[in-house]
Structures are given as C-alpha cells and as structure tokens.
Amino acid sequence: MLQQLLELVRRKNIFRWNLKRVEIKLIAVVLYYAGISFRKTSKFLRDFERFSHESLRLWYHKIANLFANTRKSRRCVAIDETKIKIGDEWWYIWAAIDVDTWEILGVMVTKWRTSIDVIKFVKEILRYCENKPIIKTDRGPWYRWTLQRLGLKHEYETFGERNAIEGWFNILKSRLKRFWKRFPSNASKESVESWIAAFISLYNLEVRIS
C-alpha cells in the first residue's frame, strides 16, 4: 500500500514543500489511519524524523486531495446515512459504495436528513456512473420519492448487498472511537469532510490493491 500511495502522492504533487522526507510523511499518515494518534505517531517516529503532531494533522488532510473515482458503468450502489457527533452536536454522514468493488463513491456531511439532501448527494454520486445503477437503501422515507424523481431504480434492502455500506460505516465508527466517538468541539463541517475524504482515499486505495 505504501508504494502505491507514494506513487499517487508524487504524481499529484500534494506535498509541495518537502522539508521532511515524503516516505516518512506517508508512513506517519498510514499509522494514523490505522488508529494511532497524531501525538503517538510523532513520538514513535522521532528517531527517524522529527515532526510535530500538528504537521502530521496537516499531512493527513492533504491526503483528501487524492480522493477520486473513475467514471464507469456501475451495476449497483448502496447508500446510507449515520449520525456522528461534532463537538456536542449531532450531524449526519451520507455515504455511497459500489457493492461490486467496495469503493466509496462519495460522502457528505449535513445537519439534517431530508429529500433535498438525498438529491444533492445522489447527483454527486452519479458523476462517477456512466449509467443509472440500481440504488439500494434502507426504508428511510427521504429516499423513495427522491430516487424516483431522478429516474433511478430503487430497492429496499435490510441485509444482502446493502451490507457493504453498513460494513464501511462500522470501519469508520471503529476509527472514530479512537477520539471518543466524536470529532472535537473546535472541528468544523469542512474539516470533518476533509478528514473523512482523507480516510476514504486511503480506504479505497487499500480496497483496490487487496
């Protein structure tokens, strides 16, 4: 994974100032992705390269720039949403996954859970689809009318292929437990979306090479 990540980072030139070795930056990012805190990672690697936990935080967020998906024909996409805490407030994370490749196609963070949010999110996901895939969701009332209006075939499903998106949310929530199941109170919606985009970039890379 590290070699593929290094090639991507160099190709996209996301670290423009290389006062620290790119390899060390990426090792630190992967360790953080795996669940080690910013502070512990910087301490763990200080015998190889000295950097602050704040530097690592900035490096991690730059990985969000790697998030990209290929536009192609997709048979089926599962969509779901879950609640997270940013500080003391509840927000929703929407996510979509290609059930055949297990790649995450997109995420969105919203304060509410409405049909308008579904329209906005699904239109974004369709940018990565050459066709109109089957959309599988739970029985949330905000899905049916919206997906019909967009001319998409919609299926309710509790288990089956929709387990792919449930499984990814379990991975995300397991990672969030590392900072007490919530984002810090000073986190903004934009910083949370950036954090998740970086997480997805690394997750998708892991899926593609597995």
Side-chain angles (χ1 to χ4, degrees):
M1 177 176 175
L2 196 59
Q3 183 59 40
Q4 289 86 347
L5 184 57
L6 180 60
E7 291 171 2
L8 275 174
V9 164
R10 284 178 170 166
R11 188 160 66 242
K12 294 203 172 186
N13 193 29
I14 68 168
F15 295 126
R16 296 185 180 181
W17 304 102
N18 289 320
L19 299 178
K20 306 293 183 183
R21 287 178 291 168
V22 175
E23 292 84 354
I24 289 293
K25 291 179 180 180
L26 296 182
I27 290 171
V29 163
V30 170
L31 288 174
Y32 175 74
Y33 167 72
I36 303 175
S37 70
F38 289 136
R39 291 181 186 276
K40 287 183 178 179
T41 298
S42 64
K43 289 180 180 179
F44 180 72
L45 294 176
R46 65 185 173 189
D47 288 339
F48 302 95
E49 190 89 64
R50 290 188 174 272
F51 56 87
S52 67
H53 68 277
E54 176 62 14
S55 293
L56 174 52
R57 187 188 70 82
L58 295 174
W59 299 341
Y60 176 80
H61 278 273
K62 283 184 178 293
I63 297 297
N65 295 319
L66 296 180
F67 179 71
N69 283 301
T70 304
R71 180 177 171 83
K72 65 180 183 180
S73 179
R74 300 183 188 276
R75 181 185 64 83
C76 180
V77 172
I79 296 176
D80 202 1
E81 79 291 332
T82 193
K83 291 170 72 175
I84 61 164
K85 262 193 170 182
I86 302 177
D88 294 323
E89 294 186 353
W90 287 104
W91 290 71
Y92 291 96
I93 294 180
W94 304 76
I97 194 169
D98 183 318
V99 302
D100 294 316
T101 66
W102 282 63
E103 290 175 279
I104 296 295
L105 303 181
V107 291
M108 184 175 73
V109 178
T110 63
K111 186 62 179 172
W112 313 108
R113 187 168 52 175
T114 68
S115 295
I116 293 174
D117 296 315
V118 176
I119 289 175
K120 181 179 178 182
F121 184 55
V122 173
K123 283 185 175 180
E124 183 67 22
I125 297 307
L126 290 176
R127 291 174 52 209
Y128 303 112
C129 305
E130 292 180 344
N131 59 326
K132 289 188 175 182
I134 298 169
I135 305 294
K136 295 196 175 186
T137 71
D138 60 17
R139 291 188 175 274
W142 38 85
Y143 288 117
R144 184 178 179 182
W145 170 84
T146 307
L147 295 173
Q148 286 178 344
R149 181 172 180 176
L150 292 172
L152 296 167
K153 184 177 180 181
H154 174 222
E155 294 180 3
Y156 291 128
E157 193 170 79
T158 303
F159 300 106
E161 290 184 313
R162 206 178 69 82
N163 281 347
I165 193 64
E166 295 282 357
W168 182 78
F169 272 130
N170 286 337
I171 292 171
L172 177 66
K173 288 179 177 180
S174 176
R175 181 61 185 83
L176 292 180
K177 285 181 181 178
R178 297 288 181 168
F179 34 84
W180 301 284
K181 301 182 182 180
R182 71 178 69 189
F183 287 92
S185 57
N186 62 346
S188 65
K189 172 180 176 291
E190 291 73 22
S191 68
V192 170
E193 287 180 325
S194 174
W195 189 96
I196 296 173
F199 186 83
I200 291 172
S201 297
L202 295 167
Y203 166 84
N204 280 351
L205 178 61
E206 191 177 8
V207 166
R208 288 165 188 156
I209 65 178
S210 62

